[in-house]
Every structure is written in structure tokens, then in C-alpha cells.
Amino acid sequence: MYLAEGPRVGIRHFGPEDAEEFTARARESKSLHRPWLFPPDQLPAYAAYAGQLIADPTREGFLVCERSGGGRIAGFININNIVGGSFQCGALGYGAFAHAAGRGLMGEGLDLVLGYAFGALGLHRLEANVQPGNEASIALVRRAGFRREGFSPDFLFIDGAWRDHERWAITVEMRGGG
């Protein structure tokens, strides 16, 4: 069932069968996510979102699921804009759901995704672009071993405006591989 497992979580790909739970968790987590993140909270939006993650070869979507408690979804981590060739890189997007926030589950899930990305996917580098005020997100990538590489003003269009972002990255060598 899982692509990789840790002590408390496993990671797996998105599926159409996850729509109801995912959208319910997104609705429950709006106050946690805003103004940083807007995951789909309605079934049609989830179908489009998951469909792109499943069909697009430049994207990989992972659900972080609790191994106890029936595998409920704790959060999600996506690798977007995957480029091969001499670049071998992708850009991370992620979010915890409210019931799982602050429990270390996303840190464990991110570690599993990094292992999968640098192993099975053969990537060399992953980047995370984080809005400067999103302290929880910055703490997550910092704990995972990412280094801050810079600052990009007006980098991504989110919630109706161009937002500044800090650029964080990790390579396979930084994790002791390669």
C-alpha cells in the first residue's frame, strides 16, 4: 500500500478514492492553511487536482498517512515541475492537515518523500519556496536539512497577489547520498 514507511506514517500516491477524506480535511484546516495554501476542499476541485498529479509526468503527489488509526491522511507533499536531463530537480509543495499539525508527522513524511525522490525518482535536487511569514513551513524544511539559498520578491501569485518567497533547497549529497 505504501511507497515508503516510517514508524508513524507512510506515503502513497493520490487516488480518486481519497476525494472525500482529502476535501473534508482541507475544509477542517482552512484556518491553518490561510493565507499560505489553498488545497481543494470540494470534490470537483479535488478531481482536477489529483487528476493532474496522477497524469502529469512532471508531477508526483504523495499523501502522508498515519499508519495507526486506519491510515487517515495527515497531509500531502507534491513534487512539481520535475525536470530531468542535467537538472534532475523538482519543486516541493506541501501542507499538513489540522488534526496532524505539530505532531511531527509531516517531518517524517517529508523524510520519506526525500528518500523516494532521491532514490526511485533519481532526482538530484529538491527546492521549496516558502513565504517568509510561514514559520511552520520554514521550520519543516530547515529540520529536514534544506539550506536557504535566497529571497525572491514577487515570486508566486497566491491569493490574488504576487508574494515574496524564501528559496530553500536540498541535494542528494546533503542527505549523504550520491
Side-chain angles (χ1 to χ4, degrees):
M1 174 173 177
Y2 293 120
L3 299 166
E5 295 181 40
R8 297 181 300 151
V9 302
I11 58 169
R12 63 180 176 81
H13 289 298
F14 282 71
E17 67 279 2
D18 299 307
E20 286 192 27
E21 181 184 2
F22 188 97
T23 56
R25 300 256 181 246
R27 286 189 301 273
E28 295 166 359
S29 304
K30 279 188 180 186
S31 64
L32 175 66
H33 292 156
R34 302 300 191 261
W36 323 111
L37 186 62
F38 298 83
D41 62 2
Q42 300 298 318
L43 295 178
Y46 174 85
Y49 178 79
Q52 288 177 344
L53 289 169
I54 293 165
D56 186 344
T58 67
R59 300 175 78 187
E60 289 277 338
F62 304 93
L63 295 172
V64 178
C65 301
E66 294 183 69
R67 291 183 58 208
S68 63
R72 68 183 173 164
I73 301 170
F76 56 96
I77 302 171
N78 301 328
I79 306 174
N80 302 299
N81 306 321
I82 297 172
V83 179
S86 60
F87 196 38
Q88 297 296 327
C89 183
L92 288 181
Y94 48 85
F97 289 128
H99 76 277
R103 296 175 44 207
L105 300 176
M106 288 300 290
E108 188 177 319
L110 179 55
D111 186 61
L112 296 172
V113 169
L114 293 175
Y116 189 83
F118 293 141
L121 295 179
L123 296 179
H124 174 259
R125 174 185 173 90
L126 288 172
E127 300 175 354
N129 296 293
V130 183
Q131 292 180 62
N134 191 342
E135 295 173 10
S137 187
I138 290 170
L140 177 67
V141 294
R142 182 178 280 134
R143 281 191 309 271
F146 284 64
R147 67 179 168 225
R148 186 178 188 271
E149 293 188 333
F151 180 81
S152 297
D154 302 326
F155 187 65
L156 291 173
F157 194 77
I158 298 173
D159 195 25
W162 290 99
R163 309 290 179 183
D164 298 344
H165 282 71
E166 293 183 12
R167 292 188 326 274
W168 292 78
I170 191 168
T171 64
V172 67
E173 292 87 2
M174 292 167 66
R175 283 188 45 98

